[in-house]
Amino acid sequence: MNFKQFFAYRIDAIVRHVAGDERWRNFFAVALLLLINITVSRKLWLATFTNQLGSVEGSFISISRYALHHWGDLQWFPLWFCGMPFLQVYQPGLHITIAALAGFLHITPERSYHVFTAALYCLGPISLYALCYRATGRRDSALFAGLLYSLFSPAALVSSVIRADLGGLWLARRYQTLVHYGEGPHIAVLTLLPLIILSLDHVSFPTGRNGSERRMWAVSLIGLLAVVVLTNWPGSVGVSFAVLAYGLSCIGTSKYGAFLLRIIGCSAVAFLIACPFVPLSVITLVPLNAQRSDGTYLSLKQAWWIAAIILALYGLHFLFNRLRLSRWPRFVIYFSFLTGMIVLGFYWANLKFLPQPHRWQLEMEMAFAAASISVTPGIFTYLTSARSRGNWKRSASMLIACMFMAMFVIQFITYSDYGRVQTLPIDIKTTIEYQMSKWFDQNMAGERVFAPGSVSVWMNMFTEVPQMVGCCDQSVPSFEHRVAFYTIYAGDNITDPNARNSLLWLKAYGIHAIGVSGAHGREFFKPFTRPDKFAGILPEMWRSGADAVYQVPLRSTSLVHVIPEAAVVSRSPYNGVDVAPLEPFVAALENSQLPPARIVWPNAHRARILAQLALGQVISLQNSYAPGWHAAANGRTARVTEDGIGLTIIKTDCTGTCVIEMSYDGGREALYALVAQGLGLSLMIMIACWPILKRLRKAFGLPVRTLSS
């Protein structure tokens, strides 16, 4: 045997070994999915600032930027909505991770955000591949599902509204959601969703007899559920749809009660671990804000439709039993049904079973892609077996295979072009978002401003000027804040003559300058109904084309004031023109006879107020109220309360010169949450270390039970 023959023999042996090795086959399938998605998102991996200024990613990066620069002081966040607890701004998981990555790699937060979310985008189809491979045991079916999820958007097929927003039937909705709308946290949860169901299946139906398998998968499930809760609320609801679908698919299996207890137990432990970072006060605020955002409130109409869905699920269960389907086809159909009812019920019939039902489009797309496993095993088996049959069957199988390959290649080219166009780089310094933000930074440092539309979204990427709006809609501290936003952005000569009502709201919330975007300006959203309503009424301080900044005249630039107790806003206004409760308060702010007050912030969650107080006077701090603030005036405890528009009032027994020390620690809720987290961590350690505990129980002569029992 010469060298050439020996070399050919070795290459042939290696190829045969690779082709026959299960791990290599999975490796090539995963590598193909990874290559496709990296190519589609290639511009995002290298992006700093892109042409998507309407994206909410500016706010997410701002949170990470703030965390990076204030790593040891993340209790109070002073920049948005007149200040709020940091944990109320948004679930901190993704943002803290991006800040840590930026600090570790010594890169900017925007680069860190784009690299991390691009990686999550690329890993999503791979996690779906892993789930589908577990479900079918077939690489071809799992790969087909991963390719569908990577290169096709069923939402555009089933909804003309989505198709019009996307720009065509064959474009990438998932990538558009990531870069155009900035839903990085939601994409992160979607990547984890298949892994959660995979872990849940290993916990419920372990493949081996080794008890450590179930324990380790249980720990994995708990960790993944905790990460989801710490990342995104819509994604958390989407995960609950998937878990519910899986639970329905397992009805009728042996020990179903134990199965339910495992799901409930792992979910409870995960919540206990996460609860210090997602307090109950935040959890109750989020659905309330979601309902207010689009006016969706549960009523008898929704109740009837929900009852109909339950009946439909029962009908599906009866049909599946007659067809004797296994749990995996049941799961993907249940998951597709639940997400499809929420999304398509909204787009087809304007039914809102939940607030913001359009948010679960991506879960529906994942469910539809996973549902392909119910069909593809039979197709691929037939195509494979047809090769050994007649010529016409062999030709037909080759034709179908070529059609699939051509479809995926065409979609790959289309998606690659779409990804490039959606992620074009820009010089951020040429944008109105950067220019107005920098003007605020140079001229209004330390003073609260009202930034318009997309300027508000991006401003704290470049500055730490506090503002009245910000992100995100789920975090708005009170209904009165929403009333103020609406009044300032809207209003006409009848409801808001001479912008009088808007000015009262601006002054009440301590706004010293307001940016206004014109109808033909460069700001992206253009939220003002009447951009000219402040012209000639407020002094103009800066202008760039149709976009301008106006000064709001106030007696003091301070956000703390001495006012008569009778001037406190005693009731919440009904709407934006119900300004009667505001008038005494704003009059007191403008009263030059009242003594000034001064506030110093040693850090973000501590403040020192110096004021001269008389009997019947209180301190008004134009910061959003939150439980967990404590105050002491000249060493004696002072009462911290809320006024009718969600701002902070400090009542003391002090007269004359008063030094008021304030601090924020989250209150009792934070303490209880830490205790709950300790309990959750202890339970998770017990699950992981169960064999050691069994040995200890035996050593002490105590009865021993297995974890599976």
Side-chain angles (χ1 to χ4, degrees):
M1 181 183 294
N2 57 31
F3 175 77
K4 184 181 295 186
Q5 290 174 327
F6 176 78
F7 183 75
Y9 171 79
R10 292 303 303 165
I11 292 296
D12 181 67
I14 292 172
V15 170
R16 288 177 180 273
H17 172 72
V18 169
D21 193 318
E22 192 82 10
R23 293 170 298 178
W24 278 106
R25 292 180 181 182
N26 285 324
F27 171 80
F28 286 126
V30 168
L32 176 62
L33 292 174
L34 195 60
L35 178 63
I36 289 171
N37 286 275
I38 287 177
T39 304
V40 172
S41 61
R42 63 194 182 280
K43 290 288 185 180
L44 192 61
W45 289 86
L46 304 174
T48 302
F49 294 100
T50 71
N51 56 333
Q52 302 297 338
L53 292 176
S55 167
V56 75
E57 74 172 29
S59 294
F60 295 150
I61 303 171
S62 298
I63 300 172
S64 298
R65 177 184 182 272
Y66 183 86
L68 180 63
H69 294 163
H70 302 82
W71 196 256
D73 188 18
L74 295 179
Q75 291 179 281
W76 187 257
F77 187 79
L79 302 183
W80 297 342
F81 300 124
C82 305
M84 63 173 66
F86 181 79
L87 297 178
Q88 185 178 317
V89 178
Y90 204 92
Q91 293 105 303
L94 181 69
H95 312 305
I96 294 295
T97 303
I98 290 168
L101 184 64
F104 179 75
L105 298 179
H106 301 287
I107 58 177
T108 61
E110 56 269 21
R111 285 280 293 114
S112 176
Y113 177 86
H114 288 141
V115 168
F116 195 66
T117 54
L120 292 170
Y121 175 86
C122 296
L123 293 174
I126 296 173
S127 65
L128 181 62
Y129 170 88
L131 177 63
C132 293
Y133 185 67
R134 166 76 174 181
T136 63
R138 295 183 60 94
R139 285 175 302 278
D140 51 6
S141 298
L143 180 59
F144 187 80
L147 289 172
L148 276 181
Y149 189 56
S150 299
L151 295 173
F152 184 63
S153 180
L157 178 64
V158 297
S159 171
S160 59
V161 176
I162 296 176
R163 186 163 58 250
D165 181 60
L166 184 57
L169 174 61
W170 307 107
L171 302 180
R173 184 63 165 180
R174 187 164 62 100
Y175 193 73
Q176 183 199 33
T177 303
L178 173 61
V179 298
H180 180 73
Y181 292 108
E183 291 282 352
H186 198 171
I187 294 294
V189 172
L190 281 168
T191 300
L192 299 178
L193 189 153
L195 301 180
I196 289 172
I197 302 302
L198 184 65
S199 300
L200 180 57
D201 191 67
H202 276 282
V203 170
S204 306
F205 303 96
T207 54
R209 295 184 178 180
N210 187 354
S212 63
E213 177 189 355
R214 175 171 280 173
R215 288 194 304 275
M216 291 303 100
W217 282 107
V219 171
S220 171
L221 177 61
I222 291 169
L224 288 170
L225 289 172
V227 170
V228 164
V229 173
L230 290 172
T231 303
N232 180 255
W233 290 124
S236 300
V237 176
V239 167
S240 69
F241 290 153
V243 172
L244 174 60
Y246 186 83
L248 292 172
S249 70
C250 294
I251 293 176
T253 57
S254 62
K255 297 183 179 179
Y256 187 69
F259 165 80
L260 290 180
L261 286 176
R262 290 189 193 102
I263 294 179
I264 295 171
C266 289
S267 301
V269 173
F271 174 74
L272 290 175
I273 293 172
C275 67
F277 307 102
V278 282
L280 287 175
S281 59
V282 173
I283 294 175
T284 56
L285 181 65
V286 169
L288 185 62
N289 273 323
Q291 293 176 53
R292 288 169 174 171
S293 66
D294 63 355
T296 300
Y297 296 91
L298 291 180
S299 64
L300 187 60
K301 179 181 178 181
Q302 279 100 340
W304 282 112
W305 277 104
I306 291 173
I309 291 175
I310 294 173
L311 288 175
L313 290 171
Y314 180 80
L316 285 174
H317 174 69
F318 177 78
L319 178 63
F320 294 157
N321 285 342
R322 293 295 298 269
L323 296 175
R324 297 182 180 180
L325 291 182
S326 63
R327 69 180 183 276
W328 286 112
R330 294 183 185 218
F331 164 70
V332 295
I333 295 172
Y334 278 134
F335 191 25
S336 300
F337 176 78
L338 290 171
T339 54
M341 282 298 300
I342 298 296
V343 176
L344 299 181
F346 171 66
Y347 282 113
W348 289 358
N350 198 30
L351 295 174
K352 295 182 179 180
F353 300 112
L354 292 173
Q356 304 177 4
H358 62 282
R359 300 292 296 274
W360 291 282
Q361 298 169 28
L362 300 183
E363 282 83 356
M364 182 184 71
E365 291 198 336
M366 177 176 280
F368 286 176
S372 67
I373 66 172
S374 301
V375 181
T376 50
I379 291 178
F380 287 121
T381 300
Y382 180 80
L383 293 178
T384 303
S385 62
R387 295 176 184 174
S388 60
R389 299 178 183 177
N391 291 333
W392 71 271
K393 290 185 177 180
R394 188 181 305 112
S395 301
S397 66
M398 292 180 62
L399 178 61
I400 294 173
C402 290
M403 288 174 59
F404 276 124
M405 289 181 62
M407 178 186 72
F408 286 128
V409 169
I410 292 171
Q411 279 297 95
F412 173 66
I413 296 171
T414 302
Y415 269 45
S416 298
D417 290 341
Y418 183 78
R420 177 183 57 81
V421 172
Q422 287 288 308
T423 326
L424 296 176
I426 61 168
D427 180 1
I428 194 65
K429 294 182 179 180
T430 64
T431 65
I432 189 64
E433 287 77 10
Y434 178 86
Q435 293 170 357
M436 187 180 289
S437 300
K438 279 300 185 180
W439 187 90
F440 280 137
D441 189 41
Q442 295 166 5
N443 296 275
M444 308 296 296
E447 301 179 42
R448 185 176 296 151
V449 303
F450 189 104
S454 58
V455 178
S456 172
V457 172
W458 290 91
M459 187 174 82
N460 295 118
M461 276 281 298
F462 320 115
T463 77
E464 290 201 3
V465 176
Q467 55 173 317
M468 184 178 178
V469 194
C471 178
C472 297
D473 192 69
Q474 67 182 37
S475 308
V476 180
S478 71
F479 177 72
E480 289 69 39
H481 284 76
R482 291 181 178 274
V483 170
F485 306 155
Y486 178 82
T487 306
I488 294 165
Y489 277 137
D492 53 38
N493 286 328
I494 297 175
T495 60
D496 194 16
N498 298 321
R500 176 179 177 273
N501 295 334
S502 296
L503 287 175
L504 284 171
W505 284 105
L506 289 168
K507 292 180 178 181
Y509 282 102
I511 308 303
H512 299 102
I514 178 170
V516 178
S517 51
H520 303 288
R522 292 183 290 151
E523 189 271 322
F524 185 85
F525 294 112
K526 301 176 178 57
F528 283 92
T529 304
R530 289 180 52 230
D532 61 339
K533 71 178 183 178
F534 297 110
I537 298 173
L538 297 180
E540 184 178 300
M541 304 175 72
W542 179 82
R543 176 171 290 275
S544 176
D547 304 312
V549 175
Y550 297 95
Q551 181 182 20
V552 180
L554 294 169
R555 178 172 69 100
S556 169
T557 59
S558 176
L559 293 175
V560 62
H561 309 273
V562 177
I563 63 171
E565 189 169 1
V568 173
V569 180
S570 57
R571 70 169 177 85
S572 300
Y574 301 118
N575 51 47
V577 299
D578 178 25
V579 294
L582 301 182
E583 291 173 342
F585 176 57
V586 174
L589 298 180
E590 297 296 299
N591 188 350
S592 59
Q593 301 300 315
L594 293 172
R598 187 164 61 92
I599 187 168
V600 178
W601 293 88
N603 54 42
H605 66 281
R606 290 187 178 275
R608 181 179 296 110
I609 299 171
L610 287 81
Q612 293 284 333
L613 287 175
L615 288 175
Q617 293 180 338
V618 296
I619 297 291
S620 170
L621 176 59
Q622 291 171 302
N623 271 11
S624 296
Y625 170 80
W629 275 108
H630 308 282
N634 291 349
R636 299 180 62 181
T637 301
R639 185 183 173 196
V640 182
T641 62
E642 181 181 14
D643 69 7
I645 56 174
L647 299 181
T648 303
I649 298 295
I650 306 166
K651 298 180 179 180
T652 74
D653 296 330
C654 175
T655 57
T657 301
C658 297
V659 179
I660 303 171
E661 301 285 347
M662 295 189 67
S663 63
Y664 178 80
D665 61 6
R668 292 183 179 179
E669 182 182 43
L671 178 61
Y672 296 153
L674 286 174
V675 173
Q677 186 184 54
L679 175 61
L681 290 172
S682 300
L683 291 172
M684 189 171 71
I685 293 171
M686 286 177 61
I687 293 171
C689 302
W690 191 253
I692 299 175
L693 295 176
K694 285 170 62 178
R695 294 191 189 99
L696 290 175
R697 291 174 69 89
K698 283 183 178 180
F700 287 100
L702 298 173
V704 177
R705 296 184 58 174
T706 63
L707 186 64
S708 59
S709 63

